[in-house]
Amino acid sequence: KNRFFERMEDDFDTAGALSVLFELVKQANDELTVATAPAALAQMDGLFAELGETVLGLKFSSPSEKGGDTTGGLMQIVIALRRRFKEQKDWASADLIRDGLKAAGIALEDGKDGTTWRRM
C-alpha cells in the first residue's frame, strides 16, 4: 500500500501505481498455490479494491456480473443430466457424476427444491 501511494505522490505516476497492483495480483496468485488462509486472500482482495477502485476509479466485476459465469452454466447442465439419469433409475451414471464432481472439489446437495452445488 505504501509503495502504491509513493507512486501516486510521485507526480501522479499512475503507470507505476498500476504496476504495484499487478505485483499484488501476482503475489495473490502465488499465495493461492500454497493454500493461504482465506482471511489473507480476503485482505489482499480488499486492498486491491481500495487502491484500484476507490483511488484509481477502476471497475472490477466478477464473471457473473459480466454475464460470463461459465462454471454456473456448465454445472446446471451437469445437474440436469444427473437428474435425467436418476429419473431413468440409472443410479450408476448419477453416482458417477456426483463422485466425479466430488473428486474435483464440488459437492452436490439434493434438496426438496432440487439440486444445488458448492465448492468444497
Side-chain angles (χ1 to χ4, degrees), residues 13-63:
D13 180 11
T14 326
L18 284 172
S19 72
V20 173
L21 291 180
F22 280 110
E23 290 174 26
L24 179 62
V25 170
K26 182 183 180 322
Q27 180 184 357
N29 285 332
D30 290 345
E31 302 266 341
L32 277 172
T33 63
V34 293
T36 298
L41 292 175
Q43 184 179 16
M44 284 184 191
D45 184 53
L47 181 59
F48 196 81
E50 175 189 350
L51 301 178
E53 292 182 6
T54 305
V55 175
L56 294 177
L58 302 173
K59 174 67 176 132
F60 303 111
S61 61
S62 68

Side-chain angles (χ1 to χ4, degrees), residues 59-107:
K59 174 67 176 132
F60 303 111
S61 61
S62 68
S64 60
E65 290 172 344
K66 292 188 272 186
D69 185 11
T70 305
T71 304
L74 290 173
M75 285 305 301
Q76 293 310 311
I77 293 169
V78 171
I79 288 170
L81 285 171
R82 183 171 172 262
R83 182 178 55 243
R84 180 174 290 173
F85 287 134
K86 288 172 72 173
E87 289 168 355
Q88 296 171 351
K89 298 191 186 315
D90 183 353
W91 309 118
S93 296
D95 290 347
L96 182 66
I97 290 173
R98 182 199 61 220
D99 296 342
L101 290 172
K102 184 176 181 180
I106 296 174

